[in-house]
Amino acid sequence: FLLAAAPLHFLRALAGSHRLNFGAMLAVAHTRRALQLQRQCITVVAAPALRRNFWNVSLPVLGGPGGAHVTKYHIVKPGKDGVEWDDFLIALPEREHLASFTKEVPLFIRYLKVVTDQEGRPEAFQAFMERAKSGLVVESDVYITTEELLAVMWKNGYSESERNAVQFTFPSDYKFHYPELSVLFDLAEEDTYKFCMRTRMEASHIGELSWDQVKRKGFIRDHWLTFGVGLVIFKYFPFFNYYFGVKVFGTSMWCYTMWTGLNRFIAKTCRRNEYMAAQKTAQDVMEGEDSIVSSMRRFANDAKCVEDLKSFKGDTETKIASYRSALALKMKEDLAERALKQLQAIAAFEAGMGAAMQELVVREAASAFKEKFPGDKAMQDKAFTSAIKSLSGAQVTASDCPVASHFEAAFKSLQGVDLATSKADAKGSLAERVAFAQQA
C-alpha cells in the first residue's frame, strides 16, 4: 500500500500556534482536569476490573513479573521496575521525566521506505534507519494510535486511498511515536512531540514516568526534621512525655521512613518471586498434562484388543499349519543339501582313489617291466625286431612292441582280481605288487 503522504500541515500549524500559549493551555487544562477528577473519582474506583486485589484473586490481564501496581487514583496498572504511573494532565511531566524504552519498528521501516522513495527523501530514510538500527529509543507514552492518526488525516483532507494505506498496513493498536510521525510527514520532532503530548493529555492518559526522576528527594531528611519539630512542639503539651515522644512517635517515624525507602524494593521482590512461582507451577502443570496425554496415547488402541482376541484362534491355527509346512520344507532342504555335500565328498574321494590307483598300477607295471626285460631273451629279441621294423618304415603293431605287450598283459591280469584278498608280493605279478602296495 503506497501512501502519497504530503506533510501534515495541520500538525505544523498547530504546534506553531501553541508554542507561545502552550503553558497557559496546560494550566487551564490542569484546572479543568482537577475539577473533573473530583466528580469522576468514585466512578473510576467503582470499576471492579481496575480495583486493587487484596484477597489473592489473580488479575490475568496484569499478570507479569511486576504484578499489579495501584496508582494514587486507585487505578490498576502493570507494575514495572523503575516506573511510576501518573495522569499526564495533572502531573504535567517534563520530557526528562518520561519513561523510555526501545521499540522495534520493522513494519514502519518497510512502510517508510515506500513513502520516502515516492517523495524523493532517501536521506531521511537513511537517517532514520541509522537511528533505529539497534532499536528506536522513545518515550513510551508520547504517541498517537492508528485510529487517532486516521481521524486527523480525515479532518485534514487526505484521500481515502491514503488513509487506507495506513489502515491496512498497521494494526489498529499500533502506536505512532513522535519520531515516526516526524520522519513520516517531514515535520520537526519538537512539533510532533507537543502534538502527541497534547493528544494524550486530552485523553486523560495515565502514563509511565521514570521513578528516578519523579521520586521525592531527601525524604529521610524531611522525615526526621518532622520528628524533631514535632518532638519540640509536643514537649510543651501535657501528657506528652518521654515515652510518647521517643518510643511511640520516634519508632513510628522510623518505621515510616523504612517503609518509604524499601516498599518498592520489597514489592518488586515479592512480585518477582510470585511470578516465578506461578511460572514454575504452570510449567509443572504443562508437564503433567503432557505426561497424561502420553499415558493416554499408550492405551489408544485398547478398543482393538477385543477384535484381535476374537480372530486370534483362527489366525493362530492357520499360522501354525503354515509354520509346520514351512518347517518340514526347511528340514527337507537342509537334508538334501547335506546329502548332496556328502555325495560330492564321496565322488571326490573316489576320483582321487581312481587317480591314485591308476598311478600305482602304471608305476608297478613299469617297475615289473624294468625287472623282467634285462633277463628275458625273447623280450629283447622282440624289442630289436620292433626297432628294425620301425627304422625300415614298416608299421609296428602292439603285439610287435614288447613294452605295449607287457603293459597290455599286465592290465588284463588285474581283471577279476580282488586286491583286498589277493596275495601280496613285491616281486610277483602286477596284481600281487598292487596288493602289496595297498597293504603296506
Side-chain angles (χ1 to χ4, degrees):
F1 303 100
L2 302 180
L3 172 61
L8 282 179
H9 300 292
F10 72 97
L11 284 177
R12 189 186 302 275
L14 181 62
S17 62
H18 282 282
R19 283 196 182 98
L20 298 179
N21 60 352
F22 196 68
M25 182 269 293
L26 291 180
V28 174
H30 180 278
T31 305
R32 183 176 69 251
R33 176 57 184 159
L35 294 176
Q36 292 176 353
L37 182 63
Q38 294 180 358
R39 296 193 297 268
Q40 298 176 358
C41 185
I42 298 177
T43 304
V44 172
V45 175
L50 299 177
R51 289 184 60 85
R52 185 174 183 178
N53 173 27
F54 289 98
W55 305 109
N56 198 26
V57 179
S58 62
L59 298 174
V61 178
L62 302 177
H69 175 76
V70 181
T71 66
K72 57 186 176 183
Y73 311 111
H74 296 276
I75 296 177
V76 179
K77 293 289 185 179
K80 297 181 180 180
D81 188 20
V83 171
E84 178 66 21
W85 298 85
D86 205 341
D87 192 319
F88 280 6
L89 185 57
I90 296 177
L92 297 178
E94 298 293 338
R95 190 166 185 172
E96 60 271 11
H97 293 169
L98 300 175
S100 60
F101 77 112
T102 301
K103 179 181 181 181
E104 300 295 335
V105 287
L107 176 61
F108 180 80
I109 288 178
R110 291 195 295 268
Y111 183 77
L112 180 64
K113 175 64 174 175
V114 176
V115 174
T116 53
D117 288 347
Q118 185 175 357
E119 295 181 356
R121 296 188 292 119
E123 66 284 350
F125 175 78
Q126 292 296 335
F128 185 83
M129 188 66 183
E130 184 67 22
R131 178 178 179 180
K133 180 169 57 177
S134 300
L136 183 63
V137 180
V138 293
E139 287 75 8
S140 58
D141 289 286
V142 185
Y143 65 88
I144 60 174
T145 63
T146 304
E147 298 297 334
E148 293 170 343
L149 179 59
L150 292 174
V152 174
M153 292 176 66
W154 178 81
K155 292 178 182 179
N156 287 268
Y158 278 82
S159 65
E160 184 177 357
S161 60
E162 294 170 343
R163 298 196 306 272
N164 288 341
V166 176
Q167 183 178 6
F168 295 149
T169 302
F170 297 94
S172 59
D173 59 346
Y174 189 83
K175 298 177 181 179
F176 291 89
H177 288 79
Y178 67 93
E180 297 172 292
L181 295 174
S182 174
V183 69
L184 183 60
F185 298 107
D186 196 15
L187 298 171
E189 283 195 9
E190 186 67 23
D191 297 340
T192 56
Y193 171 81
K194 290 179 180 180
F195 180 79
C196 292
M197 284 295 294
R198 181 176 182 272
T199 304
R200 298 273 63 80
M201 289 180 181
E202 288 180 349
S204 298
H205 180 72
I206 297 180
E208 302 178 15
L209 302 178
S210 175
W211 171 247
D212 293 333
Q213 296 293 332
V214 300
K215 67 181 179 180
R216 184 177 179 181
K217 304 297 191 298
F219 69 92
I220 298 178
R221 174 202 61 200
D222 297 342
H223 287 185
W224 291 106
L225 184 61
T226 302
F227 169 73
V229 174
L231 191 63
V232 172
I233 294 175
F234 288 152
K235 73 176 183 178
Y236 293 105
F237 286 82
F239 307 110
F240 287 94
N241 53 16
Y242 165 81
Y243 179 81
F244 174 81
V246 177
K247 299 296 184 181
V248 179
F249 186 51
T251 303
S252 301
M253 286 299 300
W254 180 85
C255 294
Y256 181 63
T257 301
M258 296 300 294
W259 170 249
T260 303
L262 300 177
N263 73 87
R264 293 182 67 91
F265 172 76
I266 296 174
K268 181 182 72 174
T269 304
C270 294
R271 291 168 181 170
R272 181 192 61 198
N273 295 341
E274 181 181 1
Y275 177 77
M276 294 175 63
Q279 292 295 310
K280 181 64 169 60
T281 302
Q283 181 66 24
D284 294 341
V285 170
M286 294 177 64
E287 292 178 355
E289 292 176 352
D290 294 341
S291 300
I292 292 174
V293 172
S294 300
S295 300
M296 293 176 65
R297 286 177 180 174
R298 292 201 296 265
F299 301 98
N301 297 324
D302 285 1
K304 298 181 181 179
C305 291
V306 177
E307 299 177 1
D308 295 340
L309 288 174
K310 289 180 180 179
S311 60
F312 178 74
K313 181 178 180 181
D315 295 342
T316 303
E317 291 177 353
T318 304
K319 291 181 179 180
I320 287 295
S322 302
Y323 172 75
R324 290 176 178 175
S325 177
L327 182 62
L329 292 176
K330 179 64 176 175
M331 294 176 66
K332 180 180 178 181
E333 292 178 0
D334 294 343
L335 181 60
E337 183 179 0
R338 291 180 182 179
L340 179 61
K341 290 182 178 180
Q342 189 68 23
L343 292 175
Q344 290 176 350
I346 293 173
F349 177 74
E350 289 179 350
M353 288 295 295
M357 180 62 71
Q358 290 178 1
E359 182 181 0
L360 178 62
V361 169
V362 172
R363 187 174 64 250
E364 293 298 332
S367 177
F369 178 79
K370 290 178 181 181
E371 292 178 0
K372 183 179 179 181
F373 184 80
D376 191 344
K377 181 64 177 175
M379 186 175 291
Q380 294 176 357
D381 294 340
K382 195 173 183 179
F384 183 75
T385 303
S386 176
I388 293 175
K389 284 184 177 183
S390 178
L391 292 175
S392 64
Q395 183 178 4
V396 179
T397 62
S399 58
D400 296 335
C401 181
V403 178
S405 301
H406 174 77
F407 275 90
E408 184 177 359
F411 292 156
K412 289 181 178 179
S413 64
L414 292 176
Q415 296 180 357
V417 179
D418 187 2
L419 298 177
T421 59
S422 178
K423 178 183 177 182
D425 186 2
K427 302 297 183 179
S429 64
L430 180 60
E432 293 176 351
R433 287 172 176 270
V434 173
F436 177 80
Q438 287 184 344
Q439 295 175 7

